[in-house]
Amino acid sequence: RLLQDTVDRNDRLKRDSGLPAFEGGVAPISADAFVRRIMRYAGCSACCLVVGILYLERLKRRVNSVCLTSNNFQRLFLTAVMEAAKCLDDRYYSNKHWAEVGGIPLAELNSLELEFLFRTGFDLKVTREEYDTYAIAMLSGADAVANSEKADGMNKTPSYTDVSQAATSF
């Protein structure tokens, strides 16, 4: 849900990520639905979502203009989580399978993977401390949102202008 809020806010502000290779048409499903789709069909462990966000944060540090929009979320998130699965999981699916899950052509996903790796400087190693920091931040952020909604019955969800804020806030 926080990812969706980030995408919505960046769309409202008409932000541009500066990564034309990852731009496409507006995804046919929401960011939340896309995350659920990845978890259901990609066969990756849940920790790959945490590490995928961490990779997007690293990308943001290297390319300051990076932000999630409805035109790039599907490609950026899919690529980041796919790379996380390849680094973390003992068994992972082929790029062909990931392309089918993401609804993009295999050749495009292969190209996005190379672009992502070069843009991140092939910096895919994650320490236990980094992982724990991101996982705790994600869980505590989700708990904070749930608690604030229970407190006053309103649907208050923080909105984020870039990946780095979203990644460290839920």
Side-chain angles (χ1 to χ4, degrees):
R1 190 165 129 182
L2 295 174
L3 287 172
Q4 183 63 55
D5 291 339
T6 301
V7 168
D8 291 344
R9 179 175 176 147
N10 288 333
D11 285 347
R12 272 194 316 276
L13 296 172
K14 299 187 184 322
R15 295 183 188 254
D16 179 35
S17 72
L19 294 174
F22 289 90
E23 297 292 326
V26 175
I29 60 176
S30 70
D32 292 339
F34 191 69
V35 171
R36 287 191 300 275
R37 179 176 174 80
I38 286 176
M39 288 311 300
R40 183 171 185 179
Y41 297 111
C44 63
S45 60
C47 64
C48 292
L49 296 179
V50 174
V51 174
I53 295 291
L54 192 149
Y55 288 167
L56 291 173
E57 166 71 19
R58 288 181 183 172
L59 179 63
K60 171 71 176 166
R61 278 189 245 133
R62 291 177 65 91
V63 183
N64 194 31
S65 65
V66 168
C67 62
L68 297 176
T69 68
S70 58
N71 293 321
N72 69 15
F73 176 79
Q74 180 180 357
R75 288 167 179 80
L76 277 169
F77 193 74
L78 178 73
T79 306
V81 174
M82 180 181 75
E83 292 308 311
K86 288 181 176 186
C87 289
L88 297 174
D89 292 346
D90 292 333
R91 298 181 66 197
Y92 57 86
Y93 287 107
S94 67
N95 282 20
K96 180 181 178 188
H97 179 80
W98 281 92
E100 290 171 357
V101 169
I104 61 175
L106 174 59
E108 181 180 1
L109 182 59
N110 290 339
S111 176
L112 293 175
E113 180 179 30
L114 284 174
E115 176 87 9
F116 187 84
L117 289 169
F118 278 100
R119 293 277 188 165
T120 58
F122 291 82
D123 183 16
L124 302 180
K125 180 182 154 230
V126 175
T127 66
R128 182 62 183 193
E129 292 77 21
E130 284 178 300
Y131 176 82
D132 288 346
T133 299
Y134 274 76
I136 290 167
M138 289 176 161
L139 290 173
S140 65
D143 289 343
V145 170
N147 290 336
S148 71
E149 288 176 357
K150 289 177 190 172
D152 63 10
M154 300 291 289
N155 286 335
K156 291 183 178 178
T157 304
S159 184
Y160 302 96
T161 58
D162 61 43
V163 173
S164 62
Q165 289 175 335
T168 58
S169 297
F170 71 95

